[in-house]
Amino acid sequence: MNTLFENCFKGKTVLVTGHTGFKGSWLSIWLKELGAKVIGYGLDPYSQEDNFVVTKLKEKIVDIRGDIRDMDKLYQVFRKYKPHIVFHLAAQPLVRLSYKIPKETYEVNVIGTLNVLECIRKSHFVKVGVMITTDKCYENNEQIWGYRETDAMGGYDPYSSSKGCAELLIASYRNSFMNPKEYLQHGKAISSVRAGNVIGGGDWQKDRIIPDCIRALIDNTPIKIRNPKATRPFQHVLEPLSGYLLLASKMYEDGVNYSGAWNFGPDYNSIVNVETIVNLMISKWGCGQWIDLSNKNQPHEAKLLSLDCTKAKTYLNWRPRLDMEEAIEYTVDWYKNYKTSNVYDLCLNQIKEYSK
């Protein structure tokens, strides 16, 4: 696996905020296997079946519990562990929940990002900061073509808007304090990365299609779907993470040319609607059914969204490796085996298979 990123992470101290979350736990596992000393900073896991818990990741990395809004504690972690590379994933990640807790959503996603940027700015030892946002940061006009990194930021709902705000903040800090044109003075590279709707094993959050499917399939009840025709750039979690890692390795060696904003989404044939995803899940699981619970009065969610990843394909030589059927197979395999397997090895085997 090291050859994929040219041994960039071996022996490096890497801070992952949000390490107890779905994407953060998978990233922490991958970094550990690449030889990094992983420092995790985040809240308690969502459930006792989360990937972080069942892989026993707490025993394998430096596990620090803290709120990303706690600037003093966060800066103490930076000063103590002196990370070379920072991946910022800590967030309030749910659209529907953001309607219920808008203030907290903005505080976590905007002020939390500000705190990480401030810690990076003040820390002479940090060389690379990869700030994870979302495809929903764009001003979504329900257009049929994918959004490019230069398109306008926006956001209808509080979650999407908070991520658009975070993107503007990241760009401001990059221009003002870590400008690539002045790299020799500050020695830091900052990028934001925008992925699609990420799926995979170990996610149990509410209001996400795969966890909703799994809960219903395990309970042998119909899967309830809110927006069966909503189209999203679905991708397995290892796809964007491979992009984040590849980008970070390039930034570490060349902070001038690889700072900026990057999309990491699926190929166009994997940009499918929710109904297609659910039918694939049922097929790979071996049984199940779904019902349409569409409600015109429910909170607004985008119906069409896709990303243009030409920049990553051209300048990083990054490509999605899994088609949608393979992504679902990886996902179902995790959920079918996590109770009877060594889950860390289960994750590691999927990473190794993906990295071939």
Side-chain angles (χ1 to χ4, degrees):
M1 286 185 293
N2 261 311
T3 55
L4 196 62
F5 309 110
E6 300 177 351
N7 293 310
C8 172
F9 301 99
K10 190 172 184 179
K12 304 286 194 313
T13 300
V14 181
L15 174 65
V16 178
T17 72
H19 69 298
T20 56
F22 168 48
K23 287 173 73 176
S25 64
W26 276 92
L27 178 60
S28 297
I29 291 169
W30 203 338
L31 283 165
K32 181 181 181 302
E33 294 305 316
L34 290 170
K37 177 183 179 182
V38 181
I39 314 299
Y41 182 92
L43 300 176
D44 292 338
Y46 176 72
S47 82
Q48 290 305 299
E49 290 190 295
D50 275 18
N51 194 52
F52 176 85
V53 178
V54 295
T55 56
K56 300 180 181 178
L57 195 51
K58 178 181 175 67
E59 302 170 6
K60 301 174 174 65
I61 66 172
V62 177
D63 173 37
I64 301 167
R65 301 301 165 86
D67 194 312
I68 201 67
R69 294 170 292 182
D70 187 342
M71 176 65 177
D72 291 339
K73 184 170 184 177
L74 183 64
Y75 189 51
Q76 288 174 11
V77 171
F78 271 76
R79 292 184 63 184
K80 179 176 180 178
Y81 293 100
K82 296 180 172 53
H84 305 101
I85 299 169
V86 177
F87 289 94
H88 173 48
L89 291 88
Q92 193 297 93
L94 301 174
V95 171
R96 284 167 66 88
L97 182 60
S98 75
Y99 284 104
K100 298 178 180 178
I101 54 168
K103 183 174 183 290
E104 182 176 338
T105 298
Y106 282 103
E107 287 174 347
V108 172
N109 294 350
V110 183
I111 302 304
T113 298
L114 174 63
N115 288 343
V116 174
L117 288 167
E118 269 291 276
C119 289
I120 292 173
R121 183 178 72 86
K122 293 178 177 179
S123 304
H124 64 86
F125 36 80
V126 178
K127 285 193 65 175
V128 170
V130 179
M131 318 295 286
I132 286 76
T133 64
T134 176
D135 56 352
K136 297 174 183 64
C137 66
Y138 292 106
E139 182 66 46
N140 189 356
N141 301 310
E142 306 275 340
Q143 63 191 34
I144 59 173
W145 51 86
Y147 291 96
R148 293 181 175 178
E149 289 85 349
T150 52
D151 284 337
M153 296 294 100
Y156 183 105
D157 56 88
Y159 166 74
S160 302
S161 171
S162 73
K163 289 297 192 172
C165 291
E167 283 282 357
L168 295 175
L169 176 61
I170 295 162
S172 174
Y173 260 68
R174 181 170 52 243
N175 292 333
S176 301
F177 306 114
M178 293 164 268
N179 197 303
K181 295 177 182 179
E182 300 164 356
Y183 183 78
L184 291 179
Q185 281 76 31
H186 55 73
K188 301 179 190 299
I190 299 293
S191 287
S192 62
V193 293
R194 306 152 185 178
N197 284 47
V198 177
I199 65 174
D203 183 10
W204 296 98
Q205 279 280 3
K206 292 181 180 179
D207 295 329
R208 284 183 180 163
I209 189 60
I210 296 301
D212 288 349
C213 285
I214 292 298
R215 281 187 283 263
L217 291 169
I218 289 174
D219 295 340
N220 197 27
T221 59
I223 301 166
K224 299 174 182 178
I225 304 180
R226 298 190 307 274
N227 298 301
K229 299 303 181 184
T231 300
R232 298 284 188 276
F234 291 102
Q235 58 191 148
H236 191 270
V237 63
L238 296 180
E239 300 275 40
L241 294 188
S242 72
Y244 303 168
L245 290 166
L246 179 59
L247 174 62
S249 69
K250 297 288 188 182
M251 291 167 67
Y252 196 88
E253 298 301 324
D254 183 354
V256 175
N257 290 311
Y258 291 97
S259 294
W262 300 82
N263 287 340
F264 294 101
D267 285 328
Y268 285 112
N269 59 2
S270 291
I271 301 174
V272 299
N273 62 30
V274 171
E275 180 180 353
T276 300
I277 289 291
V278 173
N279 285 331
L280 273 172
M281 284 292 295
I282 290 171
S283 173
K284 297 300 179 183
W285 191 266
C287 62
Q289 56 183 313
W290 64 271
I291 56 175
D292 185 351
L293 291 184
S294 299
N295 178 358
K296 64 180 181 180
N297 295 319
Q298 67 188 3
H300 174 273
E301 293 184 82
K303 293 181 173 59
L304 177 62
L305 183 59
S306 63
L307 293 173
D308 183 328
C309 301
T310 303
K311 181 180 177 182
K313 291 177 179 179
T314 302
Y315 296 109
L316 297 176
N317 197 28
W318 175 85
R319 295 284 188 284
R321 295 183 171 210
L322 305 176
D323 61 29
M324 187 46 57
E325 189 167 342
E326 291 169 324
I328 296 296
E329 285 176 354
Y330 271 53
T331 302
V332 169
D333 178 64
W334 191 99
Y335 286 105
K336 280 198 166 186
N337 291 289
Y338 83 97
K339 286 193 174 181
T340 57
S341 303
N342 179 312
V343 189
Y344 188 89
D345 288 344
L346 179 62
C347 293
L348 186 55
N349 288 336
Q350 289 196 349
I351 292 170
K352 288 178 176 178
E353 180 66 25
Y354 175 85
S355 303
K356 286 181 179 177

